[in-house]
Amino acid sequence: MRVFADMWAYLSDGANWSGSDGIAALLGQQLLLTVTALLMAMVVGLPLALWLGHLGRGGFLAINISNVGRAIPTFALLGLLVVAPWPGTDGLGPYGRAGLATLIALTLFALPPIITNAYVAMREVPADVREAARGMGMTGAQRFWRVELPLGLPLVVSGLRLALVQVWATATIAALVAGPGLGQVITDGFFRSNYGKGIAGALVVAVVALVLELLAALVQRAADPTRRGAGSGPRNDALSVNPATVDEPAESVG
Amino acid sequence: MTLLAVADDPSCYSRLVNDWICADYVADRRSEIVDATVQHLGITVVSVLVGLVIAFPLALLARRVPRLESAILAVTTGIYTVPSLALFPLLVPFTGLTATTVVIGLALYALTILVRSLLEGLRAVPDEVRESATGLGYGRGSLLMKVELPLAVPVVMAGLRVATVSTVALTTVGSLVAYGGLGNLIKDGVLTNFRAELFTASVLCVVLAVVLDVVLVLVQRVLTPWTRGARA
């Protein structure tokens, strides 16, 4: 097909990769956006969710926040932020035009999976383990740091993994409001009827998404204490369904 | 001054005012808004139904042949990883700039959630129930249709709700290929800095998601009358 030839021509031309609006620069920009938004969501969401999970309170909120989050189209949220007087379309250092609006939208988008998984991770620690720790005379802080957090870590990391991949995917949408990232290649290609270019951008975004997913799966595997110990056989595969958890993908790309 | 005087009663959506909320805008552009909403609803419903129709045999296959299960789950999860703004362009060479592109893309996303929930729902049927039904003389087909599927309905419906609500949100991205329903209005609002249009379309999107969710909850109540009795 003709568009695939165009796509290949676009991708194999080194000139399209270099420069301030080349693929490499936009890729770096989008990775920077993704990592920043994920870190911001972690700073805001993790302490809150872990603490609520430790206390066993606010479960309704923690669980339902992701259902509400799913219904809000990120595109609409981003549009509202861009058209509003603040943060508007102002540039933000290396993040480029509409950088702040994009960061806010992505951070809000990353919060639900992080909060829900961290909360559930704390609650899923078996009650007898909790009681044993209490019986040994551990204080609340000791139980949290030495018992609940290590046991809940795989699920916490699984939430971060979901958030990472979803934020990467969603960051592409920033280009629909003329914002930063690889989406620019896609939208530019489409709006100028240069479909080869649009598809080239899509391919790069999709490949990086799969790479991020695989890397995150490896990290998740490493975070599982039962897997590290004594090789007790496969507990759950990275991609298998674990019915006890909320490992199902929430809204991906919105 | 004269300009302002001519515009006797400037609508809240004029360039000079640009309000977020504006009843006049909704009244004046009613047909446009209704068309976009209908397109949005149509794309969402068709996508989820197509996803369900594909997910059903896949889930049955995964259950019948355990070796295929992880492969099916891996492939559907892999598709889910691909960003929507990237998936639509990747489909365009095959389907063109049509609503079909959006529907196929969204159906593929819905597939991930639906295959998982179908599998989990069927797995949640207790073995005793299955054995009793077999003992009563149910064959494989009637066991599935009359016993297993009805009992799986609550879990499957939970997945269907997730799939539907996120499909409503995702449909907006279809505006890339001009079939985004309310997303088209959102895009236009962003491009022309038109707050009333942007805000109205965004709110309608969320309302549509909530309405569809409520409809599915009602459908579930009708399909599973026994759960109501047990709760009372």
Side-chain angles (χ1 to χ4, degrees), chain B residues 205-230:
Chain B
C205 243
V206 176
V207 169
L208 195 60
V210 173
V211 168
L212 285 177
D213 198 42
V214 170
V215 168
L216 285 177
V217 170
L218 293 177
V219 169
Q220 182 178 352
R221 279 181 68 105
V222 172
L223 285 180
T224 57
W226 61 89
T227 53
R228 261 172 295 160

Side-chain angles (χ1 to χ4, degrees), chain B residues 3 61 78 83 145 155 159 164 168 190 199 224-225:
Chain B
L3 261 177
L61 188 69
M145 297 312 289
V155 180
T164 307
V168 172
V190 170
F199 189 78
T224 57

Side-chain angles (χ1 to χ4, degrees), chain A residues 38-61:
Chain A
L38 190 68
L39 286 177
M40 278 164 59
M42 276 171 74
V43 168
V44 176
L46 270 188
L48 181 75
L50 291 174
W51 186 58
L52 285 176
H54 172 70
L55 295 179
R57 287 199 198 135
F60 180 79
L61 183 77

Side-chain angles (χ1 to χ4, degrees), chain B residues 8-31:
Chain B
D8 193 27
D9 178 17
S11 286
C12 54
Y13 62 84
S14 84
R15 295 275 152 214
L16 300 167
V17 187
N18 206 5
D19 268 344
W20 289 105
I21 302 169
C22 178
D24 287 350
Y25 159 75
V26 179
D28 291 353
R29 302 272 204 97
R30 203 167 141 235
S31 67

Side-chain angles (χ1 to χ4, degrees), chain A residues 2-3 19 21 24 27 37 50 72 75 105 113 118 124-125 146 152 157 167 195 211-213 221 224 235 249:
Chain A
R2 175 118 206 169
V3 271
D21 57 350
L27 181 72
L50 291 174
I72 299 171
F75 179 26
E124 293 265 310
V125 174
R146 289 161 61 179
V157 174
V167 168
Y195 298 123
V211 170
L212 284 178
E213 168 75 12
R221 197 166 291 211
D224 192 337
R235 207 185 62 140

Side-chain angles (χ1 to χ4, degrees), chain A residues 79 83 172 195 202 241 250 252-253, chain B residues 80 84-86 97 120 170 193 195:
Chain A
V83 173
T172 327
Y195 298 123
V241 185
S252 108
V253 254
Chain B
Y80 204 84
S84 57
L85 197 69
L97 295 176
E120 274 175 36
L170 271 179
N193 200 24
R195 288 179 184 165

Side-chain angles (χ1 to χ4, degrees), chain A residues 1 3-4 7 67 70-85 161 165-166 168-170 172-177 183 186-187 190-191 195 198-199 201-203 205-206 209-210 213 239-243 247-254, chain B residues 18 20 69-70 73-74 77-90 92-94 97 109 112-113 116 119-120 123 159 162-163 165-166 168-170 172-173 175-177 183-184 186-187 189-191 193-195 198-199 201-202 205-206 209-210:
Chain A
M1 283 213 218
V3 271
F4 286 119
M7 176 196 86
N67 294 333
R70 231 177 249 136
I72 299 171
T74 318
F75 179 26
L77 180 64
L78 192 56
L80 291 172
L81 285 173
V82 163
V83 173
R161 167 187 166 189
V165 178
Q166 292 177 8
W168 167 264
T170 309
T172 327
I173 292 174
L176 289 177
V177 298
I186 300 174
T187 50
F190 267 82
F191 295 156
Y195 298 123
I199 291 161
L203 191 70
V205 173
L210 289 172
E213 168 75 12
L239 289 169
S240 76
V241 185
N242 188 351
D247 202 21
E248 78 177 29
E251 179 193 11
S252 108
V253 254
Chain B
N18 206 5
W20 289 105
E69 186 185 312
S70 55
L73 285 175
T77 311
I79 294 170
Y80 204 84
T81 320
V82 178
S84 57
L85 197 69
L87 184 63
F88 294 149
L90 291 175
V92 162
F94 308 100
L97 295 176
Y109 286 128
T112 313
I113 301 168
R116 278 167 188 261
L119 271 176
E120 274 175 36
R123 205 174 280 149
V162 172
V165 169
S166 47
V168 172
L170 271 179
T172 55
V173 182
S175 64
L176 180 71
V177 293
N184 293 350
I186 294 176
K187 189 172 107 182
V190 170
L191 289 178
N193 200 24
F194 185 179
R195 288 179 184 165
L198 179 55
F199 189 78
S202 306
C205 243
V206 176
V210 173

